[in-house]
């Protein structure tokens, strides 16, 4: 009798977990899209900047193009109150009111914390307060949590475990699982974004600790070198991405000024081929027409958001990437990755991407049908740039 009660209890707990896992995956059935404050505003971000981003998201058409999350990154945190509850600092007078403001515009609200005592910027982390913080986030109306390792490395160091790979990996994984459980108990569906820079092959265990996305690399910066190194090095991770759980090669730099339009088109295209989260990182209230046309290219966004949820992969030694799409279509992106100034032609043989016979082609940056292709197509992407096609039969 006791045993069967126990079995029932285990089964019930198991189905609860399963239910939570299915619900969580549903939150990110396609890669999350939105905006994050860090790349542009960094540690200077204020409540007013976030409200302006939410307003701009609506006014510019970003929301209607699919960008939904308005995410405050590091430096919103203040000191805890006497009961240990996290409070925001003076640049963020009222987080609940800010979340309400974002929600009133048909958007979702994201926040940031660390499993360590301190965040990367030295603000208050969630170490030892996970349950309490998860409850606070739920009460504020948070929809997305980026959980950034940083300060936990100090804890690992204090325990002299930095050279004990097995123990430090286990601690990291446990810390992410702990917040996952706290979020589940908090009762509000919250997209869970793991940020530990791709350490310990997070793509192998990110799903098991409830991650909807996990950073695969160190921080991006607004240069072609940084973006290309990160983006093109994602080859091989494709088998870990699936609906609900995505590789995250970090946020977009489009519109921040360190790259030219061809290079920013490369980031947008490559991230779409990678089924990567699309989190804009620029000042949305000051976008020029070129930036808007890149961030809001609906044909490229449709590739990123394709419901089959298969991450694209590199074909052969050149930077030719192919992504299978729902209904048997394929996206192909041909990048000019050579550093010399003379753009080189690249030929794609249709049989190399699995086609026989005639194939329809559409150029997703020119917004132009190319008619029917036979055997092959040769394109010459500009220096640092890309030609992106949709192919179907
Ligand atoms: C780390 C993360 C960044 C950003 C900063 C904030 O470096 O990788 O994306 O969140 O911390 O301090």
């Amino acid at each position: 009798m006791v045993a069967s009660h126990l079995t029932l209890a285990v089964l019930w707990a198991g189905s609860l977990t399963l239910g939570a896992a299915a619900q969580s995956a549903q939150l990110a059935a396609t890669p999350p899209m939105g905006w994050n404050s860090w790349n542009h505003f960094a540690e200077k971000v204020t409540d007013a900047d976030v409200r302006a981003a939410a307003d701009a998201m609506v006014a510019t058409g970003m929301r209607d193009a699919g960008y939904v999350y308005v995410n405050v990154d590091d430096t919103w945190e203040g000191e805890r109150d006497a009961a240990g509850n996290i409070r925001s600092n003076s640049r963020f007078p009222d987080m609940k009111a800010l979340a309400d403001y974002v929600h009133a515009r048909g958007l979702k609200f994201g926040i940031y914390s660390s499993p360590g005592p301190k965040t990367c910027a030295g603000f208050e982390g969630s170490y030892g307060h996970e349950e309490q913080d998860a409850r606070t986030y739920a009460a504020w109306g948070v929809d997305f949590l980026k959980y950034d390792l940083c300060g936990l490395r100090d804890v690992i160091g204090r325990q002299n475990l930095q050279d004990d790979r097995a123990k430090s990996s286990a601690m990291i994984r446990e810390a992410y699982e702990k917040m996952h459980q706290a979020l589940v108990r908090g009762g509000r569906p919250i997209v869970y974004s793991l940020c530990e820079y791709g350490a310990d092959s997070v793509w192998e265990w990110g799903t098991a600790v409830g991650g909807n996305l996990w950073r695969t690399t160190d921080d991006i910066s607004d240069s072609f070198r940084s973006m290309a190194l990160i983006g093109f090095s994602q080859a091989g991770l494709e088998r870990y991405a699936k609906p609900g759980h995505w590789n995250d090669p970090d946020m977009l730099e489009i519109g921040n000024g360190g790259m030219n339009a061809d290079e920013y088109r490369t980031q947008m295209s490559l991230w779409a081929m990678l089924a990567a989260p699309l989190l804009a990182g620029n000042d949305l209230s000051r976008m020029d027409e070129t930036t808007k046309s890149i961030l809001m290219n609906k044909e490229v966004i449709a590739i990123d958001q394709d419901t089959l949820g298969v991450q694209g992969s590199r074909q052969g030694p050149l930077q030719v990437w192919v992504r299978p799409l729902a209904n048997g279509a394929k996206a192909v992106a041909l990048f000019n990755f050579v550093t010399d100034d003379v753009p080189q032609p690249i030929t794609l043989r249709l049989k190399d991407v699995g086609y026989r016979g005639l194939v329809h082609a559409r150029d997703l940056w020119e917004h132009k049908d190319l008619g029917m292709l036979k055997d092959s197509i040769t394109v010459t992407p500009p220096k640092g740039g890309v030609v992106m096609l949709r192919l179907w039969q």
Side-chain angles (χ1 to χ4, degrees):
M1 202 56 194
V2 173
S4 70
H5 271 133
L6 258 183
T7 317
L8 271 181
V10 169
L11 277 176
W12 182 72
S15 66
L16 260 191
T17 316
L18 253 187
Q23 194 188 30
S24 150
Q26 198 49 44
L27 286 179
T30 59
M33 291 177 65
W35 172 86
N36 173 294
S37 59
W38 187 253
N39 284 357
H40 180 79
F41 293 95
E43 74 287 349
K44 296 194 175 66
V45 66
T46 64
D47 174 282
D49 296 328
V50 179
R51 287 175 191 242
D55 289 342
M57 207 110 130
V58 178
T60 58
M62 289 280 284
R63 180 190 64 187
D64 294 340
Y67 295 86
V68 173
Y69 291 95
V70 175
N71 294 350
V72 184
D73 206 276
D74 201 355
T75 77
W76 63 266
E77 311 87 341
E79 286 167 9
R80 294 184 182 277
D81 67 14
N85 295 309
I86 187 72
R87 291 178 304 188
S88 47
N89 61 41
S90 59
R91 281 180 287 115
F92 288 88
D94 185 339
M95 292 305 262
K96 169 85 172 75
L98 180 55
D100 289 348
Y101 187 92
V102 168
H103 290 151
R105 279 146 190 79
L107 298 164
K108 291 175 187 269
F109 182 60
I111 212 172
Y112 167 104
S113 189
S114 172
K118 293 284 175 218
T119 67
C120 291
F123 287 66
E124 186 71 18
S126 291
Y127 187 71
H129 294 275
E130 294 82 358
E131 294 284 333
Q132 213 171 4
D133 287 358
R135 280 198 299 272
T136 302
Y137 302 153
W140 284 346
V142 167
D143 306 295
F144 185 112
L145 172 68
K146 172 173 168 182
Y147 206 44
D148 188 354
L149 185 67
C150 259
L152 193 71
R153 283 184 167 158
D154 300 336
V155 177
I156 291 171
R158 281 204 292 278
Q159 297 181 13
N160 280 321
L161 294 176
Q162 65 275 30
D163 297 326
D164 187 333
R165 190 67 196 275
K167 282 201 180 133
S168 61
S169 300
M171 267 184 79
I172 294 174
R173 202 176 149 150
E174 276 161 25
Y176 279 95
E177 174 62 14
K178 192 169 198 178
M179 182 51 98
H180 168 224
Q181 292 302 335
L183 291 174
V184 171
R185 278 192 287 273
R188 184 177 170 91
I190 294 182
V191 170
Y192 190 30
S193 160
L194 316 186
C195 177
E196 45 82 273
Y197 337 113
D200 299 318
S201 306
V202 60
W203 39 86
E204 288 174 356
W205 49 269
T207 295
V209 297
N212 297 112
L213 56 158
W214 46 80
R215 280 271 298 279
T216 54
T217 74
D218 265 326
D219 293 13
I220 198 166
S221 64
D222 187 19
S223 72
F224 182 71
R225 191 185 146 75
S226 164
M227 181 276 292
L229 266 176
I230 286 179
F232 292 121
S233 72
Q234 301 301 296
L237 293 183
E238 48 274 6
R239 68 174 179 278
Y240 301 103
K242 56 185 170 302
H245 310 281
W246 309 101
N247 291 307
D248 173 12
D250 208 357
M251 299 170 289
L252 301 175
E253 290 284 8
I254 296 159
N256 279 334
M259 291 179 245
N260 65 34
D262 285 325
E263 295 167 341
Y264 282 141
R265 277 183 209 108
T266 284
Q267 187 179 25
M268 188 72 188
S269 305
L270 185 50
W271 265 234
M273 296 303 288
L274 294 170
L278 296 178
L279 294 170
N282 56 319
D283 182 352
L284 299 181
S285 61
R286 284 164 221 268
M287 286 198 282
D288 61 19
E289 290 309 311
T290 306
T291 300
K292 287 185 195 165
S293 73
I294 298 172
L295 282 171
M296 288 186 271
N297 181 331
K298 292 188 180 163
E299 299 193 66
V300 173
I301 291 173
I303 303 299
D304 182 74
Q305 296 290 300
D306 183 78
T307 53
L308 193 60
V310 174
Q311 176 172 328
S313 54
R314 194 179 62 211
Q315 307 281 303
L318 291 175
Q319 294 298 355
V320 174
W321 289 66
V322 180
R323 180 172 174 190
L325 305 171
N327 304 322
K330 284 183 179 150
V332 177
L334 305 103
F335 297 94
N336 176 337
F337 189 49
V338 286
T339 42
D340 65 66
D341 281 327
V342 187
Q344 303 293 321
I346 311 177
T347 296
L348 175 79
R349 290 187 308 177
L350 296 174
K351 71 172 190 319
D352 290 348
V353 286
Y355 286 118
R356 282 159 185 269
L358 296 176
V359 174
H360 293 276
R362 182 167 172 84
D363 185 318
L364 304 185
W365 285 108
E366 296 294 326
H367 302 294
K368 202 169 75 188
D369 281 332
L370 302 179
M372 302 295 280
L373 307 182
K374 188 172 173 283
D375 300 328
S376 69
I377 178 171
T378 298
V379 300
T380 307
K383 180 178 181 315
V386 59
V387 171
M388 190 161 172
L389 307 172
R390 183 186 175 90
L391 304 179
W392 73 98
Q393 278 189 312

